[in-house]
Amino acid sequence: MSKKPVRVAVTGAAGQIGYALLFRIASGEMLGKDQPVILQLLEIPDEKAQNALKGVIMELEDCAFPLLAGIEAHSDPLQAFKDTDYALLVGARPRGPGMERADLLAANAQIFTAQGKALNAVASRNVKVLVVGNPANTNAYIAMKSAPDLPAKNFTAMLRLDHNRAASQLAAKAGFKVGDIKSLTVWGNHSPTMYADYRFATVNGKSVKETINDQDWNANVFLPTVGKRGAAIINARGLSSAASAANAAIDHMRDWALGSNGEWVTMGVPSNGEYGIPAGMVFGFPVTTANGEYKIVEGLEIDAFSQECINKTLAELQGEQDGVKHLL
Ligand SMILES: NC(=O)c1ccc[n+]([C@@H]2O[C@H](COP(=O)([O-])OP(=O)(O)OC[C@H]3O[C@@H](n4cnc5c(N)ncnc54)[C@H](O)[C@@H]3O)[C@@H](O)[C@H]2O)c1
Ligand SMILES: O=C(O)C[C@H](O)C(=O)O
């Protein structure tokens, strides 16, 4: 018997990540090739954006995806999030000319407060939320705080792009096949301060750290390369990463919904105090996923270098979250 369709809300649906994301969701790459989906798409109430959204919907229709059980276009989050089982919050306010970081935080705080409240009011009580729009961790924190009737653990931020970037850099450095790298993680904020940590990673049972055996490369090449990859792509393309961001969003949601088969993946999730991260802070952690739930990998040893890196990204996130406290 075929499965009942699930509802997937995507915000910023006419943007560049939206364009790289929706077709893959509709083809079953996110939730499985047997799972019909209804897309509930949100764009700002602006004629140009709504027209662009219409065009994307026409293209979705023209793909004749067998799993696409419905498509809705909305400009009101209360309609877009109605009964939604999954919410991918991609749309966000980009930094404009002369805008300070505090202005960016405040503009996004407004968007994610409203969207958190709307999720709280109308979404499925089990909705799984992924925030992609930057600053992703803090936006997820704001949405979570604005939705007190939903489980806080259901609000997550995207660190998977950083994770995938780290895997790819390691593979290139040591000649690994990227798919053979296990137990890699990225701690902290989706920003250049993130700490991509391969101390526990293995390839075919062999330690990645021992194979590479180059702390200078780790500190001075690998971490800056992964941390500044988003900026490098903006410099090269004139636009921020879109296909790789959409791909990471698919990976994040697929693993959360369908399980990671015991493997570690990285998710930005609210801390319960693990590794000294303040409870409630949305932080990149190693997790395993099964039966629609994630579990933070606990008990890992944090050496002095790692602690220093974690402290740096933690301080940045604390600053961001302190900066929006008065708005919540
Ligand atoms: N977490 C990550 O790893 C990661 C990676 C890449 C990009 N990003 C972020 O993702 C976001 C989207 O990137 P993009 O390249 O698709 O941008 P984009 O500008 O191409 O598209 C964003 C879309 O969101 C819409 N939007 C803005 N505010 C909205 C709101 N309140 N409700 C609904 N829609 C809204 C805009 O109209 C626009 O169509 C940006 O914040 C970007 O910085 C995050
Ligand atoms: O949009 C950005 O600022 C960069 C993006 O978050 C990325 O990591 O590619």
Side-chain angles (χ1 to χ4, degrees):
M1 210 178 75
S2 61
K3 287 187 174 174
K4 186 170 167 268
V6 293
R7 295 179 176 275
V8 181
V10 179
T11 75
Q16 17 154 35
I17 294 177
Y19 196 69
L21 179 64
L22 296 173
F23 299 85
R24 296 187 61 190
I25 299 174
S27 73
E29 286 183 58
M30 188 170 89
L31 298 174
K33 296 284 182 187
D34 59 347
Q35 178 59 67
V37 293
I38 298 170
L39 290 176
Q40 305 187 164
L41 307 179
L42 182 70
E43 258 299 341
I44 50 173
D46 159 271
E47 199 184 335
K48 199 164 160 232
Q50 289 294 324
N51 268 335
L53 182 56
K54 277 193 194 124
V56 175
I57 290 178
M58 285 189 255
E59 286 206 67
L60 281 162
E61 289 166 351
D62 293 350
C63 293
F65 288 119
L67 291 172
L68 188 53
I71 317 177
E72 302 169 9
H74 297 289
S75 57
D76 178 353
L78 283 167
Q79 291 172 3
F81 296 155
K82 180 94 183 88
D83 297 329
T84 198
D85 302 292
Y86 299 89
L88 289 87
L89 308 186
V90 178
R93 177 82 188 274
R95 193 197 290 251
M99 215 172 166
E100 297 297 332
R101 194 167 174 83
D103 302 329
L104 183 74
L105 279 168
N108 279 299
Q110 241 178 16
I111 294 174
F112 286 85
T113 307
Q115 295 189 353
K117 285 184 178 161
L119 286 163
N120 194 56
V122 300
S124 155
R125 297 302 85 184
N126 298 317
V127 63
K128 288 180 161 56
V129 182
L130 167 63
V131 177
V132 175
N134 280 321
N137 298 53
T138 296
N139 289 341
Y141 174 78
I142 293 166
M144 174 186 86
K145 289 288 179 197
S146 307
D149 302 328
L150 295 172
K153 68 179 172 53
N154 290 16
F155 286 80
T156 68
M158 193 163 94
L159 269 291
R160 186 60 176 263
L161 182 53
D162 310 87
H163 178 113
N164 290 349
R165 286 168 173 166
S168 183
Q169 293 299 322
L170 291 171
K173 165 77 175 168
F176 305 134
K177 284 191 196 151
V178 77
D180 288 343
I181 302 173
K182 313 283 181 212
S183 305
L184 170 67
T185 197
V186 180
W187 305 89
N189 200 6
H190 170 65
S191 91
T193 66
M194 60 86 235
Y195 173 44
D197 181 0
Y198 60 82
R199 292 174 304 134
F200 308 102
T202 58
V203 167
N204 301 322
K206 258 186 89 181
S207 160
V208 166
K209 180 172 181 239
E210 282 169 23
T211 305
I212 292 178
N213 192 25
D214 189 346
Q215 175 55 15
D216 182 57
W217 178 80
N218 179 31
N220 299 315
V221 179
F222 172 72
L223 289 173
T225 301
V226 177
K228 293 183 197 153
R229 188 71 162 181
I233 289 165
I234 293 172
N235 283 341
R237 241 169 59 83
L239 288 167
S240 68
S241 62
S244 55
N247 179 67
I250 297 271
D251 285 349
H252 177 118
M253 280 306 212
R254 183 201 56 228
D255 289 341
W256 192 2
L258 304 180
S260 66
N261 299 316
E263 303 296 345
W264 295 13
V265 290
T266 300
M267 289 171 67
V269 303
S271 167
N272 307 294
E274 292 88 349
Y275 299 100
I277 305 305
M281 176 175 278
V282 178
F283 201 82
F285 283 111
V287 303
T288 55
T289 57
N291 306 315
E293 302 287 338
Y294 62 80
K295 203 167 169 302
I296 295 174
V297 177
E298 292 196 66
L300 299 172
E301 191 207 323
I302 306 296
D303 61 18
F305 176 79
S306 302
Q307 192 62 59
E308 202 181 301
C309 293
I310 288 173
N311 289 349
K312 189 165 142 208
T313 195
L314 170 61
E316 181 187 51
L317 254 180
Q318 191 70 63
E320 285 184 18
Q321 297 188 2
D322 288 348
V324 296
K325 242 187 203 139
H326 64 289
L327 303 168
L328 300 178

